[in-house]
Structures are given as C-alpha cells and as structure tokens.
Amino acid sequence: MKSTDVTFPGGRTSGRSPLVGAVPVGDLHGLVVAETPFHPLDHAWPDQPADRGVIGGLPVVDCVTGAQSTTGEVFLGDAIPVRRGSEGWQWLVVHVTETPLPVGEEVDLEVDAAFRAALSAGHTSCHLAALALNAALAQCWRKEAPLDRLGHPDFDQAAITSSRISPHGSVDVYRLGKSLRKKGFAADALDWAEVAGRVNERLEAWVAADAPVRLDVPGLGLTARRTWHCSLPEGEASIPCGGTHVGRTGELGRVEVEFRLEEAALTMRTVSMC
C-alpha cells in the first residue's frame, strides 16, 4: 500500500476513493483508501480525536494512524515503532469498521461535519489560549527562553506534558517542577485567577478581531509538516499542527480558560462558546 493522501487539512468532509487495503484491528476491520477526508488519531501526539462518519455505507467506529514497514507489516497507533515520517515507511489512515468491504472497489467517505466543526473550534481555541498564556506569563521568566511567534517566552512548549482536544474545548497539562525552574520560570507567587483574567481578556480581543486562520499544507501526505497560522492584531502567529481548524477567530464566539493547580502540575481548561 502507498501512503494515504489526506484532504481534511483543506476542510474537506467527503470524498470518493478506491479501497486499496485492509488490515485486522482485533476483531474489527481496518480499511485503507487511496485518499480520505478523515482525520485519524495521531499516534505520537494524540491531541485531536479521530473523525466520525461513514465509509462505503458502514459506520467508522474508529480512525487510527497506521505505518507499513519495508517488509509489508502494518503497525497501528502506539504500536508504531518508528518516528512519524520515517524514510521507507508508508503512512496510512485506517478506518475501523465492524464489517469488511471488498478491496478494489470505490467507496464514498462522509465525515460527521458537525463533530468535525466542534473539534476544529476546540483546536483553534487551544492554540489561541496557549499564545495568550505565553503573553500573560512573560514577566515570570528570569532567564532567556525560546520565544513564540508573537515574541513571548514560549511557556506552552517548555512546560506542556499533554493536550487533549474536545468539541469546543481542550485540556492542557503543564509541569511546574524543578526542571522548569532551572530554565528560569518563577511561578511561586502567581495568582492564577488573575492570570486567567488576563488570558481571557486577550482571548476576547482576538475573537473580536475576527482574525483569519489558515493551515500551510505542503503536500497531501498524512505526515506532511503542516503549520497553523493566525493573523492576530499583534502579528502573524504560527504553530506546527496536524489537526483541523476554523477559518476565522470570530467563529469561536467566546473563548475562556480556567486553571487548576495540583502539586507541580497546572491544568488549563479552554472552552469555546460558539
């Protein structure tokens, strides 16, 4: 099988393509097409959930990333033993169904557009919240740190341990332990309610600006290095990203964050009220 071409970065939610392969997924069936609008769960950074929808008239119960080795063996999800895009491997979108379909026939693919839109809102809100958090914490750094594209120390990239996108929201977890303090971040005296207020104020301004959002898509391959861009009032922001997004910040309606601090971990919950 050749690597799957994907059309979801361009916003597609439907398509038609030949079924080029099938792999077992436990007692279920993993269907691979030449080109798909489905966004699968990423095996390395599983932040955005898989799309829902239908393939060849069958419900897609899951959609995962697969990788085929040079010997033809296919690995799925966290069982993939190589890095994303490793040379010589074929990277596949595997649509999991309860019933098989004949390899070789053309099938229609239809993504649940409402669920996709909700995840896209959550993902864009997540990126905006990360940038707003970086700005709100900029004065907490006592040493030079790598900067985000808006010129603020990139707390998000320095401290994040996990990110999970949900419909119209996200949950991001950051470490606040000794390693971050050694990098120069001092958070002991922070009032996190006050920080949330500053983040939310900035998010309100960015939503009101109705800033355009776009993805830089260098190719159709699943592992192409795509980049999220947003033309904010402060400048052009960009973040490497393999997910889906809204077209303008005004579509988000209202975005707010709240924080929970537990021992050496900070959890940021972001909600888009569109």
Side-chain angles (χ1 to χ4, degrees):
M1 289 182 284
K2 294 182 178 180
S3 291
T4 309
D5 288 339
V6 294
T7 60
F8 63 80
R12 292 279 298 275
T13 56
S14 64
R16 183 173 177 82
S17 183
L19 184 65
V20 297
V23 295
V25 185
D27 294 331
L28 302 177
H29 306 272
L31 308 180
V32 181
V33 293
E35 180 183 275
T36 182
F38 276 76
H39 177 280
L41 183 70
D42 189 272
H43 72 292
W45 187 250
D47 55 348
Q48 181 169 329
D51 280 333
R52 300 170 181 172
V54 176
I55 180 172
L58 301 177
V60 175
V61 299
D62 199 3
C63 190
V64 300
T65 299
Q68 185 177 46
S69 72
T70 54
T71 64
E73 186 175 5
V74 176
F75 299 85
L76 302 178
D78 56 13
I80 296 174
V82 293
R83 291 186 176 183
R84 181 183 180 92
S86 290
E87 187 176 354
W89 287 65
Q90 303 299 316
W91 294 85
L92 312 171
V93 176
V94 181
H95 312 75
V96 183
T97 62
E98 294 182 347
T99 305
L101 288 172
V103 173
E105 74 172 24
E106 283 210 344
V107 294
D108 292 312
L109 300 104
E110 193 72 34
V111 171
D112 182 332
F115 184 64
R116 160 77 70 77
L119 292 177
S120 296
H123 209 148
T124 301
S125 299
C126 177
H127 285 346
L128 292 174
L131 291 166
L133 180 60
N134 288 347
L137 298 178
Q139 302 305 314
C140 297
W141 291 87
R142 304 294 178 257
K143 298 179 182 178
E144 289 190 9
L147 305 180
D148 66 21
R149 290 299 299 269
L150 297 180
H152 301 119
D154 201 338
F155 170 84
D156 177 74
Q157 286 301 298
I160 196 164
T161 60
S162 69
S163 181
R164 294 294 182 269
I165 309 299
S166 59
H168 302 290
S170 63
V171 175
D172 296 273
V173 180
Y174 301 96
R175 63 180 181 276
L176 297 176
K178 184 183 296 184
S179 63
L180 194 62
R181 290 196 297 272
K182 286 183 177 179
K183 293 179 181 179
F185 183 77
D188 294 341
L190 279 179
D191 179 342
W192 286 102
E194 191 271 336
V195 173
R198 284 188 279 134
V199 170
N200 288 334
E201 182 178 356
R202 190 174 295 264
L203 289 171
E204 183 179 9
W206 286 349
V207 170
D210 194 26
V213 176
R214 65 179 177 85
L215 280 176
D216 178 28
V217 183
L220 287 173
L222 177 61
T223 58
R225 295 187 178 277
R226 299 179 288 275
T227 306
W228 173 87
H229 293 265
C230 186
S231 301
L232 295 168
E234 292 90 333
E236 181 79 5
S238 64
I239 296 174
C241 182
T244 64
H245 293 275
V246 301
R248 305 188 72 89
T249 60
E251 298 176 36
L252 301 174
R254 184 178 178 183
V255 182
E256 290 187 350
V257 303
E258 62 179 22
F259 297 114
R260 185 177 73 249
L261 188 63
E262 294 178 346
E263 297 181 356
L266 173 72
T267 298
M268 178 173 70
R269 185 177 298 275
T270 305
V271 177
S272 168
M273 305 171 195
C274 51

